[in-house]
Amino acid sequence: MSLSLDALRLAAAQSPTNLPLLMLLADACLADMQVDEARQTLERVLALEPRHALARVGLARVAVLEGKTSEAVVRLEKVLEDESDCGEAMVQLSRLLVTEEGEGTRARQLYQKALELDRSLADEALERDLNQLPPDKYPTNAEAGGKRGGVTAGGDFMESWEDEDHAPRGGAAFDLGLSDFERPKLKFSDVGGMEDLKEMIRMKILYPMQHSELFKAYGKKMGGGVLLYGPPGCGKTLISKATAGEIQANFIALGLHQILDMWIGNSEKRMHEVFELARKNAPCVLFFDEVDALAADRRDLRQSAGRNLINQFLAEMDGAEGDNEGVLVLGATNAPWHIDPAFRRPGRFDRALFVPPPDAEARAAIATVMARGKPMAGFDPVALAKKTPDFSGADLKGVFDLATETVLEEAMKTGKLVPLTTKLLQQAATRHKPTTKAWFESAKNYAMYSNQAGFYDEVLQYLGLLKKGN
Ligand SMILES: Nc1ncnc2c1ncn2[C@@H]1O[C@H](COP(=O)(O)OP(=O)(O)O)[C@@H](O)[C@H]1O
Ligand SMILES: [Mg+2]
């Protein structure tokens, strides 16, 4: 791999305007995780040919590697807006959507369309993931006219969206991700490790919700905003769902795509409706997953629509549009540095919780969960945890997938069931690069050079660059 990468570098240096060659180089860089070089190469292509679809898809892949999933989605959707038959963009987008709950149908459709255009885009791993999706519980937005409703752990106001003019306009369907968070069964006990964070969530979210009367007695209002941030794949979405399962209050969740839909629909009105729904159902947690999709500075991508939507969101959080007592806004992001500082002012997301990568104990707990229901022979999760420093929960899932592929191959050859072993998993771990390191590289820069009001102190503590209690 690195030999051909070097060869491509040389060749590209010789003919710096050879687009196909630059694209080959970019591909090789991506395959080798040379993210910066990939980006630079793709930008060179775009400087020469600004509408180059595959280079734009490449930049989306760069964004994925940097943990900026929401940015990647927006980029890919934009490519498809301009070039509706770009199969590569469809496959990449499908890959991102397949892990987003509630987006299974769209992921499937995109992949099928891509294959119709070009059989050579077939992707076994993606196909497997698509096949593992549960059958669609709900019709797609387009089929249902978009009438999907709100979600609560205890309420049933789903129907309230079926009436009047709540139906979304056009294709930019709006929904609150019913399939995402419908009566979350997940509890804290289903989340491996993260004990400190669980306790913090109990202190900052669950107890105040449970004892709102007590809060009032002391003249304190319940509500406000809490931001969960950290490297991708480390359980932010998972712990939020589990919070919904733990909590007695109502819980409304907006995933990435509901947020992006608002951008596309330019819908400040929808934003207001979501907050109103939360206010009517207080005490209530209003969860925005990948909130950077909303708060990010994306002037390059969605110029005019953006400012209004952001201003609306801020006004809602400030309570300018209605009384927010009993509404707790929870946000999650991989890219806190892309969040407009205006979002962190008092009364908005003024509390931040860092979700670190799992430690060895947590990795063992996660591995134990993942081994459930698989043919295993004498599995030692602690031994696997030892060999997987810096691995996120999602990375561990990758290790299980890799090892499973190996034994499946073996099983196909012999026709016998081959169990997974600790050793096979450890071997698979050597073939998987942990994804959290790249995140910390970026985070470190922001934490060192723009640590306003100690926002990143927890990151610095984690990196050992700041003592606790500072
Ligand atoms: N603490 C954990 N316990 C069990 N599984 C985990 C844990 N952290 C991550 N995972 C696995 O990794 C996947 C990705 O986690 P997710 O919550 O989506 O990460 P994030 O939102 O931080 O990017 C989860 O769906 C789950 O399979
Ligand atoms: Mg997430």
Side-chain angles (χ1 to χ4, degrees):
M1 168 55 64
S2 55
L3 185 70
S4 73
L5 184 56
D6 282 342
L8 283 167
R9 275 183 189 129
L10 268 176
Q14 299 285 320
S15 20
T17 56
N18 181 335
L19 295 188
L21 185 59
L22 288 174
M23 286 306 294
L24 278 178
L25 174 60
D27 264 342
C29 291
L30 282 168
D32 206 45
M33 298 284 283
Q34 306 291 332
V35 181
D36 289 332
E37 192 181 352
R39 188 194 309 99
Q40 284 155 16
T41 309
L42 292 163
E43 279 166 358
R44 266 163 67 194
V45 172
L46 287 168
L48 294 163
E49 194 184 314
R51 309 206 63 78
H52 199 290
L54 289 185
R56 292 166 70 198
V57 173
L59 283 181
R61 290 170 64 196
V62 168
V64 171
L65 290 178
E66 290 178 323
K68 300 177 197 160
T69 318
S70 51
E71 181 189 320
V73 169
V74 174
R75 282 186 183 279
L76 291 167
E77 285 179 338
K78 199 90 173 87
V79 173
L80 286 171
E81 259 172 47
D82 298 341
E83 316 257 343
S84 60
D85 59 351
C86 180
E88 285 83 358
M90 290 173 202
V91 171
Q92 294 295 335
L93 188 55
S94 173
R95 216 176 260 151
L96 295 176
L97 296 181
V98 72
T99 54
E100 283 279 316
E101 285 168 66
E103 291 290 352
T105 307
R106 215 169 130 215
R108 270 197 201 99
Q109 286 168 346
L110 281 164
Y111 182 65
Q112 273 158 12
K113 185 137 179 254
L115 282 196
E116 278 163 26
L117 288 165
D118 181 357
R119 294 291 319 167
S120 76
L121 290 172
D123 178 326
E124 263 179 55
L126 175 58
E127 227 159 86
R128 210 171 32 234
D129 288 347
L130 286 168
N131 287 334
Q132 278 175 2
L133 285 174
D136 299 323
K137 270 187 281 179
Y138 302 95
T140 62
N141 288 320
E143 284 155 16
K147 42 174 195 182
R148 278 199 259 163
V151 197
T152 72
D156 58 347
F157 46 81
M158 294 131 51
E159 265 78 40
S160 66
W161 292 86
E162 298 203 15
D163 52 31
E164 311 148 9
D165 58 356
H166 283 305
R169 314 169 215 122
F174 171 76
D175 73 73
L176 288 173
L178 181 62
S179 48
D180 239 359
F181 283 75
E182 185 198 16
R183 287 199 169 261
K185 287 184 203 78
L186 222 54
K187 294 261 181 193
F188 277 175
S189 53
D190 299 310
V191 180
M194 302 184 133
E195 295 310 328
D196 291 350
L197 187 70
K198 286 176 192 169
E199 190 50 29
M200 205 112 79
I201 289 178
R202 283 190 198 101
M203 289 303 295
K204 292 192 174 168
I205 301 179
L206 299 183
Y207 299 153
M209 284 270 176
Q210 282 161 4
H211 307 291
S212 57
E213 293 306 313
L214 250 178
F215 256 64
K216 257 193 213 140
Y218 287 97
K220 266 187 98 83
K221 289 200 172 175
M222 215 284 306
V226 176
L227 187 67
L228 299 179
Y229 72 98
C234 291
K236 291 181 297 298
T237 301
L238 196 71
I239 193 114
S240 303
K241 289 187 190 181
T243 303
E246 286 289 301
I247 214 171
Q248 296 306 313
N250 292 317
F251 193 93
I252 301 174
L254 276 85
L256 172 62
H257 297 288
Q258 287 87 47
I259 298 177
L260 291 176
D261 280 351
M262 286 204 231
W263 281 87
I264 294 160
N266 191 8
S267 32
E268 299 91 69
K269 185 163 164 262
R270 298 271 172 272
M271 182 63 82
H272 180 63
E273 284 167 0
V274 169
F275 272 86
E276 279 297 296
L277 192 61
R279 289 176 192 124
K280 271 193 211 121
N281 290 280
C284 183
V285 175
L286 181 51
F287 174 54
F288 289 86
D289 201 2
E290 309 211 40
V291 69
D292 51 297
L294 181 75
D297 178 7
R298 30 183 83 224
R299 254 168 306 189
D300 55 327
L301 294 170
R302 298 215 185 285
Q303 296 100 345
S304 52
R307 218 55 245 174
N308 291 341
L309 187 61
I310 288 178
N311 288 340
Q312 183 71 34
F313 182 80
L314 295 178
E316 299 288 349
M317 277 200 99
D318 288 344
E321 306 279 332
D323 185 0
N324 283 344
E325 188 170 352
V327 176
L328 185 110
V329 184
L330 185 63
T333 178
N334 299 334
W337 42 81
H338 283 154
I339 291 186
D340 191 327
F343 279 67
R344 303 208 303 258
R345 300 225 180 98
R348 298 176 180 168
F349 288 117
D350 48 12
R351 285 163 286 171
L353 299 179
F354 174 51
V355 182
D359 60 15
E361 202 181 317
R363 290 197 300 276
I366 295 170
T368 307
V369 174
M370 288 179 181
R372 265 183 221 151
K374 294 203 171 67
M376 307 284 306
F379 176 47
D380 179 356
V382 174
L384 178 62
K386 268 200 195 119
K387 295 277 160 134
T388 48
D390 299 320
F391 278 52
S392 69
D395 287 331
L396 286 172
K397 190 162 176 299
V399 168
F400 271 83
D401 288 346
L402 268 177
T404 305
E405 264 168 41
T406 319
V407 292
L408 255 178
E409 250 169 51
E410 181 81 26
M412 308 258 236
K413 272 189 220 141
T414 60
K416 285 195 205 112
L417 198 69
V418 184
L420 276 176
T421 62
T422 310
K423 195 161 164 230
L424 275 171
L425 286 163
Q426 287 178 334
Q427 279 166 357
T430 63
R431 287 189 282 143
H432 183 98
K433 262 194 188 169
T435 51
T436 60
K437 274 197 169 152
W439 188 89
F440 277 105
E441 308 252 309
S442 305
K444 194 170 147 188
N445 282 327
Y446 289 101
M448 303 281 279
Y449 302 111
S450 58
N451 190 16
Q452 289 139 343
F455 183 77
Y456 294 111
D457 281 359
E458 282 178 296
V459 173
L460 291 174
Q461 277 162 13
Y462 183 87
L463 291 170
L465 298 171
L466 186 73
K467 283 204 190 84
K468 271 203 170 173
N470 266 15

